[in-house]
Amino acid sequence: MRHLIFLFLGLFFFSCDEKSVTTFSELEGSWNFVGYESGYLDCPIDSVYLNITKGDKEYKVEGRAFVNLFHSTVDIGEGKSFKFGTIGSTKMAGPPELMECETAFFEQLKHISIYKLNGNRLHLTYKAKPEQSSIPPVLIFERK
């Protein structure tokens, strides 16, 4: 009987732990950019998105910034770490204000180091702000 109690308690605590831990598969899928936590630039965000997929050995990211398409790998690790690899993009020109938005967006992606899931929202942030940067620390995406 004592063994059954320990088995039950073990299963109970294991199932509670499992629900509180984000699995990396929860990050897979399509995410629409909904903005910065603190406003920032007045940029039209309706076409900005990213897709996260699991490759053979790494996660891959592709999407659309304000003007261009982009792609990268992403290292998703323990402790909510999230680090983009080299970001490649198409090289189309757009209106100066959209190019400014895109440059800031790509610059911020380079510094992302942490993710947080909050319901259907993905918050990407970094621990330390890049020197002399006015870029806000949180990008918010919503699951499509």
Side-chain angles (χ1 to χ4, degrees), residues 12-73:
F12 174 76
F13 287 118
F14 178 75
S15 67
C16 288
D17 261 350
E18 191 174 71
K19 291 178 184 173
S20 66
V21 173
T22 300
T23 60
F24 302 135
S25 64
E26 289 181 292
L27 298 176
E28 290 184 84
S30 298
W31 299 90
N32 285 326
F33 183 53
V34 295
Y36 297 98
E37 185 176 64
S38 60
Y40 186 48
L41 295 173
D42 184 22
C43 300
I45 59 173
D46 57 332
S47 65
V48 181
Y49 66 90
L50 57 88
N51 296 315
I52 302 173
T53 57
K54 176 87 168 113
D56 292 338
K57 297 181 181 182
E58 58 197 5
Y59 281 90
K60 297 179 181 184
V61 176
E62 62 181 15
R64 175 178 287 287
F66 295 89
V67 176
N68 289 286
L69 299 174
F70 69 94
H71 59 91
S72 183
T73 58

Side-chain angles (χ1 to χ4, degrees), residues 40 104 107-108 111 126 128-136:
Y40 186 48
E107 185 63 27
Q108 189 169 25
H111 297 285
Y126 43 84
K129 204 173 196 180
E131 268 186 52
Q132 300 176 342
S133 175
S134 62
I135 299 172

